[in-house]
Amino acid sequence: MTACGNKESETVTPDNSTTPEAVETQPTQEATGTEETTSRDDTGVYPNATGLTEVAMGVTEDICTFKVPLNYVLAGGYYDENNEEHTIQGLNSATTTVEEALAAGSFSTGNHLAFFTMTSLDADQTMITTGMYTPDIMSWDDFKAYYTDAKEIGDESVPGLLYHVEAISGQCVAVAVKVSDDVTLQIVYEGSLEGEIGEDELGQRLYELVTVK
């Protein structure tokens, strides 16, 4: 898995808030593998979001949720018992939005969403790439040892790291979150927010997209 979530390489290259007001929530969508859906963006990460939902993520079981916007395109997959990547049915299109995938049941196939790339269809061109790392690829201690300049964020129960990696658009902010003893979730952000709010605030907002179960 590379720093941007592609698991074909087992190395990660080094080049590689304010609290908003509460929003009204809609009923939990139990059949889709998601939690509450909100009426707009309350994360400060998705400027053109029409709404938010939380998708479950994991390797052999769901261990956290990740807040995603309904109107962004999301393509993702899972790992089989041999640790090979597979695309999840319905999450393999360059045009299918999260909202459309929810309606089609793509998040309730029985597979655990372990990595995804998510892109805005609007002019801001926000892109987020995530990937779950197990110890045979890169452990939490490996992340800490590799990114020696990383800033520690989060707390003792769910620690995080803030650093930069080389992504499609150049040097980008990345956050690693220790979501279990054996799994680290990396988030890579490509967009304009770092220049607007700074890396520290952006890193905190990315960290807060994740809720550990």
Side-chain angles (χ1 to χ4, degrees), residues 33 54-68 77 112-116 130-132 179 185-186 210 213:
E54 295 187 43
V55 295
M57 297 191 70
V59 178
T60 59
E61 61 179 346
D62 291 335
I63 54 179
C64 68
T65 61
F66 197 100
K67 291 182 180 178
V68 297
H112 302 288
L113 183 66
F115 55 89
F116 67 77
T130 72
M132 289 194 156
V179 292
L185 174 64
Q186 179 177 252
V210 180
K213 293 188 172 183

Side-chain angles (χ1 to χ4, degrees), residues 42-124:
D42 65 353
T43 68
V45 177
Y46 310 117
N48 297 311
T50 58
L52 292 175
T53 192
E54 295 187 43
V55 295
M57 297 191 70
V59 178
T60 59
E61 61 179 346
D62 291 335
I63 54 179
C64 68
T65 61
F66 197 100
K67 291 182 180 178
V68 297
L70 295 174
N71 57 322
Y72 281 36
V73 169
L74 186 151
Y78 68 97
Y79 302 145
D80 65 16
E81 62 275 7
N82 297 316
N83 226 20
E84 298 292 331
E85 289 186 1
H86 297 276
T87 301
I88 294 177
Q89 184 176 1
L91 298 181
N92 57 350
S93 168
T95 58
T96 302
T97 65
V98 170
E99 187 170 23
E100 292 167 339
L102 286 171
S106 302
F107 293 101
S108 55
T109 61
N111 302 124
H112 302 288
L113 183 66
F115 55 89
F116 67 77
T117 298
M118 182 172 60
T119 310
S120 168
L121 294 176
D122 294 319
D124 69 278

Side-chain angles (χ1 to χ4, degrees), residues 132-150:
M132 289 194 156
Y133 290 74
T134 53
D136 58 314
I137 303 170
M138 195 167 184
S139 69
W140 174 252
D141 287 339
D142 291 335
F143 270 91
K144 293 176 69 176
Y146 194 88
Y147 294 104
T148 55
D149 295 331

Side-chain angles (χ1 to χ4, degrees), residues 171-186:
Q171 283 285 306
C172 296
V173 168
V175 168
V177 183
K178 186 178 181 182
V179 292
S180 77
D181 289 341
D182 296 322
V183 179
T184 300
L185 174 64
Q186 179 177 252

